[in-house]
Amino acid sequence: MNLVFLGPPGSGKGTQAIRIAQELHLTHLSTGDALREAVKNQTEVGKKSKGFMDKGDLVPDEVLVGMIKDIITGGELSGGFILDGFPRTIPQAESLKTMLQESNANLDKAVLLDVDDEEIICRLSGRWFCPQCSEGYNYPAKMPAKAGLCDKDGAELKRRADDDESVVRNRLEVYRQQTEPIIGFYSKESILTEVQGADSPDNVFNSILEAVR
Ligand code: AMP
């Protein structure tokens, strides 16, 4: 099964993509995580991407399409995948379609997680993560036992630089203008399925499973 997860920043698509990928034995690929890794390792892709990411803008299509093309041709996704954070523009969606056709594959579903703006700003302003084990926290919904420290390994929790409120507002604006048109693209292809993302994580997980099975 090949899936893409769509939704505004903070809609929970990353968390859900990881859980659904485990449940259905699919490869999970987050382009945001891959780009953050590239920035950390100061690769060519990382150097090209950092300025855009810091502002909450999209990294140019050719950088992302090149990255995904390498991954698809390398065969990493051939056992079924969830793409989390790609595509984010119509040209990316069109390129993905072509790249998959060239590998005799296709998308089964595009899962859209719907959450309204105020809920998103509230979620992201309380979002923290452990830099060592990647465990996510959320104030006040999921607090660590000791303030500011990871429950699993005691490391000091951090925030993503682009979760600052002004950057979040720009990321939402970018989502509305550049990413939302993809909803129409997948709706025309008859593979769009919409799930309410404002529910509890377990309920959202079950709704997604029901939608894709
Ligand atoms: P995310 O972790 O998915 O919120 O992505 C973090 C940042 O990485 C975004 O705000 C963009 O700057 C960049 N990014 C991730 N995926 C893409 C994409 N498909 N196209 C362009 N930029 C992306």
Side-chain angles (χ1 to χ4, degrees), residues 31-32 35-36 53 57-59 64 85-86 88 92 160 162 171:
T31 47
L35 290 172
R36 279 184 288 279
M53 294 172 76
D57 288 335
L58 293 186
V59 173
L64 268 296
F86 184 93
R88 259 174 154 108
Q92 290 182 16
R160 269 174 58 171
D162 62 355
R171 285 164 65 203

Side-chain angles (χ1 to χ4, degrees), residues 5-23:
F5 275 30
L6 306 171
S11 56
K13 63 182 180 332
T15 311
Q16 294 294 344
I18 292 170
R19 283 185 69 179
I20 299 283
Q22 269 173 0
E23 179 76 16

